[in-house]
Amino acid sequence: MQNNTNRSYYLVPYFGWMMLFVIAPLILVIYFSLFDLHGNFSFINYQNFFTSVYLKLTLSSFWYAFLITAFTLAIAYPTAYWLTKTKHKQLWLLLIIIPSWINLLLKTYAFIGIFGVKGPLNKLFESIGIGTQQILYTDFSFIFVSVYIFIPFMILPIFNSLDKMNPTLIDAARDLGSSSWTTFTKVIFPLTINGVKSGIQAVFIPSLSLFMITRLIAGNKVITLGTAIEQQFLVTRNWGMGSTIAVFLIMFMVIIMILTGQKDKGALSNEQIK
């Protein structure tokens, strides 16, 4: 009984942290979303969110988040698979993770120099006769930089899933006559699906709320929910509308986390092995 009482005291810092930095900010966001631009209590912000402007903004945010996640996954999965087969896999993994330690703003400004009109990429184009191209402030530059920034967060969980996988299962599938594609789709991918889901959470959710990259790399030609929240708070000073968008963004994040929630898988069924 005394031990249980002592253990309950250890939970106090946790609950205090959750109340101060999770629950309280969430309550404040919901509170401010219930006031219009003039400080009057109203549901007008929620009505405005369902207008064509904000619905298009939401669809655009999901589309760009989907593209970023899809390209990141397409690059990260084979990279993680290759890492598990290398001799010094932990060293290679560290080299991939190290760029994520660099400040995001510094990396963004580095790409501004690389993609600029007088940058090294345009100089390469000029040397091979293509000529100067407008690379900055395009969808390509925005997606490219976003994929570069998020790719370590996709590789790490997939690498962990692949590294923990029992290699005898792959050998058994090949002994039973499975092709490489069948082995991948029926054995490897199902066993690493939790790592894929974790990577999707780590990439898709923050991609919905990007705002700094959209300003510096896309030149505000790409507008996301994060950019809209920043504009409402800092430009138009409409805290109510900004809070409303934040409420829906939190709801979308919770839904995505539920859809990509991890469930432990047991042994493969006979239908999966066939």
Side-chain angles (χ1 to χ4, degrees):
M1 186 66 179
Q2 185 67 28
N3 290 334
N4 292 333
T5 304
N6 292 335
R7 289 176 182 176
S8 63
Y9 288 125
Y10 298 137
L11 297 176
V12 173
Y14 169 76
F15 285 114
W17 179 276
M18 292 293 292
M19 288 298 299
L20 286 174
F21 299 106
V22 178
I23 305 300
L26 182 59
I27 293 174
L28 284 175
V29 168
I30 297 174
Y31 172 79
F32 282 117
S33 69
L34 298 175
F35 291 89
D36 61 16
L37 186 58
H38 304 289
N40 300 317
F41 180 84
S42 173
F43 291 98
I44 188 65
N45 295 320
Y46 288 90
Q47 295 176 8
N48 290 336
F49 185 84
F50 289 98
T51 59
S52 59
V53 174
Y54 289 102
L55 289 178
K56 288 180 180 178
L57 173 64
T58 303
L59 291 175
S60 175
S61 297
F62 271 88
W63 173 244
Y64 282 111
F66 169 77
L67 289 178
I68 293 169
T69 305
F71 284 119
T72 304
L73 179 60
I75 298 172
Y77 203 102
T79 303
Y81 185 82
W82 173 78
L83 286 174
T84 59
K85 304 299 180 182
T86 57
K87 184 177 181 180
H88 304 288
K89 55 186 176 183
Q90 297 298 336
L91 175 61
W92 286 106
L93 184 64
L94 179 63
L95 294 176
I96 292 174
I97 295 175
I98 282 176
S100 65
W101 299 348
I102 302 174
N103 184 272
L104 178 61
L105 187 61
L106 292 177
K107 290 188 288 188
T108 304
Y109 274 111
F111 275 104
I112 292 176
I114 294 172
F115 289 155
V117 175
K118 297 183 180 179
L121 192 57
N122 265 313
K123 289 183 179 180
L124 175 63
F125 289 159
E126 292 176 358
S127 65
I128 60 178
I130 297 178
T132 302
Q133 302 293 320
Q134 180 60 48
I135 306 173
L136 270 179
Y137 314 130
T138 61
D139 290 355
F140 166 79
S141 61
F142 169 68
I143 294 174
F144 185 93
V145 175
S146 300
V147 169
Y148 169 80
I149 289 172
F150 287 124
I151 203 165
F153 304 102
M154 181 71 79
I155 290 178
L156 188 58
I158 296 176
F159 171 84
N160 290 333
S161 296
L162 287 168
D163 197 43
K164 293 177 182 178
M165 188 175 57
N166 191 344
T168 58
L169 295 173
I170 301 175
D171 296 334
R174 291 174 177 171
D175 290 341
L176 292 172
S178 296
S179 62
S180 298
W181 176 250
T182 303
T183 302
F184 172 75
T185 56
K186 298 298 183 180
V187 179
I188 299 175
F189 190 78
L191 289 175
T192 57
I193 191 64
N194 283 343
V196 173
K197 289 180 178 180
S198 297
I200 290 174
Q201 287 183 4
V203 175
F204 192 93
I205 291 176
S207 295
L208 284 176
S209 57
L210 287 173
F211 67 92
M212 185 179 66
I213 298 176
T214 57
R215 282 191 176 278
L216 298 178
I217 299 297
N220 278 342
K221 292 184 179 180
V222 175
I223 304 296
T224 64
L225 291 172
T227 309
I229 293 172
E230 181 201 22
Q231 290 177 345
Q232 293 294 336
F233 273 99
L234 301 181
V235 180
T236 63
R237 299 290 182 176
N238 189 350
W239 286 27
M241 194 63 222
S243 298
T244 302
I245 301 173
V247 169
F248 281 99
L249 179 60
I250 293 171
M251 291 173 56
F252 295 147
M253 291 178 176
V254 172
I255 293 172
I256 293 167
M257 291 181 68
I258 293 173
L259 293 177
T260 57
Q262 296 183 12
K263 294 181 180 179
D264 292 335
K265 288 182 174 290
L268 291 176
S269 63
N270 293 331
E271 288 78 11
Q272 289 177 307
I273 295 177
K274 290 180 181 179

